[in-house]
Amino acid sequence: MTQELVAIIGGSGFYSLLEDAAEVLPETPYGPPSGPITTGVLAGRPVAFLPRHGASHQYAPHVVPYRANLWALRSLGARQVVSLSAVGSLRVDRPTGTLVVPDQLADRTHGRAHTYFDGAAGVGHVSFADPYCPRGRAAAVGGGAAVDGGTLVVVNGPRFSSRAESLEFQSHGWSIIGMTAMPEAGLARELALCYTTLALVTDLDAGVEAGEGVTHGEVLASFAVNLPRLRELLVAMLATLPAEQGDCGCGDTSSHPPSFQLP
């Protein structure tokens, strides 16, 4: 069976794993994506890597060109998307270094372009009750290396949370906190893409323990130390990810405006 291209959104630290690597930079109606997309083969699967924050990490979370990124990946033929993310933990039982595959999202972002369904595209209302692809999540947790489930709350950034905000998020029972899953996940659903997040805990959020709050330098250092484990999880996931998008429901286009054309 021919395997569909799998899109991977993350950082440049994964490019060295690819065989037959080549760069492309698709044009989109929403401007250029964050940077050149590297296509190649990983774990026997055709993949396309996109640097979410740009090749030089020039895009802060609130200005990432999310619409261009997802559009570009689908235009290359991707139907399944794996998002690699650094997150903070809101629970002491998910310490630094924990790999998490969340099953829910809570959106606390603002001021971002959250939809393709505006203007000439018409108005649509896609289902988002379960933001993540069930088949993608099953492939990610199947090897037992990652914690299964939990809610990822997405804040606007680029600042980190205050202790009061962190305590509020904990009070809702949310597990991890990040800055990039929205509108990325919502846009993926509007483009009828499967979407799965592999989240690496790089710090405990401000309200989880006493002491100094997290710094950007600490997050980067923790991510670098744990990067090999995230790579291993990604490779294991690709080995069991379905060859093509199936009947998971992510590809449903029945709620699309009649005038909206998928790339």
Side-chain angles (χ1 to χ4, degrees):
M1 179 183 294
T2 301
Q3 293 181 321
E4 291 176 343
L5 183 74
V6 178
I8 301 170
I9 304 177
S12 59
F14 292 84
Y15 295 170
S16 61
L17 299 178
L18 293 184
E19 303 171 11
D20 302 323
E23 284 191 353
V24 293
L25 188 61
E27 296 183 359
T28 85
Y30 306 95
S34 295
I37 298 171
T38 304
T39 62
V41 177
L42 178 60
R45 300 293 297 266
V47 300
F49 275 102
L50 172 65
R52 179 185 288 115
H53 295 285
S56 302
H57 208 91
Q58 66 268 36
Y59 292 107
H62 64 296
V63 293
V64 168
Y66 294 101
R67 291 196 295 183
N69 286 352
L70 274 300
W71 192 276
L73 290 168
R74 183 177 171 98
S75 72
L76 291 177
R79 297 296 180 267
Q80 302 183 77
V81 178
V82 181
S83 164
L84 309 176
S85 299
V87 299
S89 176
L90 295 166
R91 295 169 47 169
V92 293
D93 62 347
R94 296 189 179 180
T96 299
T98 303
L99 295 169
V100 183
V101 182
D103 61 356
Q104 275 297 326
L105 278 170
D107 186 9
R108 290 297 182 89
T109 65
H110 55 82
R112 305 181 182 192
H114 273 72
T115 183
Y116 294 106
F117 301 154
D118 53 14
V123 177
H125 304 278
V126 298
S127 174
F128 201 58
D130 296 299
Y132 294 108
C133 175
R135 300 202 313 166
R137 292 192 65 259
V141 302
V147 173
D148 181 8
T151 296
L152 166 59
V153 55
V154 191
V155 296
N156 213 52
R159 68 169 178 82
F160 294 114
S161 301
S162 70
R163 296 190 196 281
E165 290 168 331
S166 181
L167 290 170
E168 178 200 356
F169 301 151
Q170 290 176 58
S171 73
H172 293 299
W174 300 337
S175 302
I176 51 178
I177 180 171
M179 299 179 186
T180 59
M182 287 298 291
E184 197 171 86
L187 293 171
R189 182 59 55 86
E190 289 188 350
L191 289 185
L193 297 168
C194 297
Y195 185 86
T196 307
T197 287
L198 306 183
L200 172 63
V201 174
T202 58
D203 60 275
L204 294 179
D205 209 49
V208 178
E209 61 178 11
E212 296 297 323
V214 65
T215 68
H216 187 224
E218 291 170 345
V219 168
L220 293 178
S222 178
F223 191 81
V225 168
N226 289 284
L227 187 58
R229 296 178 55 243
L230 185 57
R231 286 172 172 163
E232 291 174 2
L233 177 58
L234 174 61
V235 169
M237 176 185 179
L238 290 175
T240 58
L241 193 67
E244 58 185 19
Q245 190 178 47
D247 57 357
C248 53
C250 303
D252 179 21
T253 60
S254 61
S255 297
H256 284 188
S259 59
F260 183 72
Q261 299 295 318
L262 288 167

